[in-house]
Amino acid sequence: MKLTHASKTLLAGLTLLGALSLTACNNDDGGVKAGDTPSGAKPTVSAGTGSSGGTGDSGTSSGSGSSSGSSSGSGSSGEGNTDTEVDDCRSDELEVTAADNTTDKTEGVITVQFKNGGGRDCALSGYAGVDLKTATGDTLSVDRNGDQPHPHVLKDGESAAFNITFPVNTTGGSGVRITNILVTPPNETKTVTIAWPAGSLPVSGEDSSDSGPKLSVGPVGKVSDSPAS
């Protein structure tokens, strides 16, 4: 059938009107609805997935954002606490023993050992306080040898030790007889008394050599290491 010019104009007008109606229908809600995921967009990372950066997306709703912030903060705190501070070893947690490890004819060595029996990890670092009790009731303070101490953490059952060096009595006399060692672990105030396991010290003044062995104490070292002398 042959269309007249008026018919063609009417048909074109109806087609244009239909297109406009379809466009208006699609845009009634102003685009994508609030709960929809736009085509091609990735969903936001849910809260608690770690510090991947997804928890800070601006597309997260306010409730989800609050949860994400809390989870992210908790995760960061956990990661930051991997190097948890360990409390010092206490005297009551340590088994303290002493052994004579002297191999030299002029310089003696007593090794004092701390064994951790407290059921937890604890720190033992620095110098122990050491005094020697004589048979006459006097007390001799033992000075540090000046070596650099290093921090150590003892697991339950592990041990650390330090050396006391002293001049061996070679004078032929009775010398100064030592009966006990008074040991105060590093960073502690409670003293432990243990028996002196070696011979006597020369009487003060009998060993006139300035370069001879001196009475001194070294810093604490783990038993797997060589205890400082």
Side-chain angles (χ1 to χ4, degrees), residues 87-110:
D87 290 334
D88 292 327
C89 299
R90 296 304 174 197
S91 298
D92 293 337
E93 299 175 314
L94 298 171
E95 178 185 342
V96 187
T97 56
D100 185 2
N101 286 320
T102 300
T103 58
D104 191 274
K105 293 182 178 181
T106 59
E107 182 179 62
V109 177
I110 300 297

Side-chain angles (χ1 to χ4, degrees), residues 34 42-44 54-62 64-65:
K42 296 181 180 179
T44 56
T55 55
D57 288 349
S58 59
T60 311
S61 66
S62 59
S64 174

Side-chain angles (χ1 to χ4, degrees), residues 177-205:
R177 292 192 300 115
I178 306 298
T179 58
N180 297 103
I181 311 172
L182 309 180
V183 181
T184 307
N187 302 312
E188 255 288 44
T189 57
K190 185 175 182 178
T191 299
V192 178
T193 301
I194 54 178
W196 173 262
S200 63
L201 279 59
V203 175
S204 177

Side-chain angles (χ1 to χ4, degrees), residues 8 10 25 48 61 80 82 93 141 161 169 175 183 208 215 224-225 229:
K8 290 180 179 181
L10 178 60
C25 181
S61 66
T82 54
E93 299 175 314
S141 295
N169 180 23
V183 181
S208 59
L215 180 63
S224 56
D225 305 328
S229 59

Side-chain angles (χ1 to χ4, degrees), residues 1-3 8 13 69 73 76 115 121 124 129 161 191:
M1 181 177 63
K2 199 169 185 181
L3 296 175
K8 290 180 179 181
S76 298
K115 183 177 180 180
D121 294 355
L124 193 66
T191 299

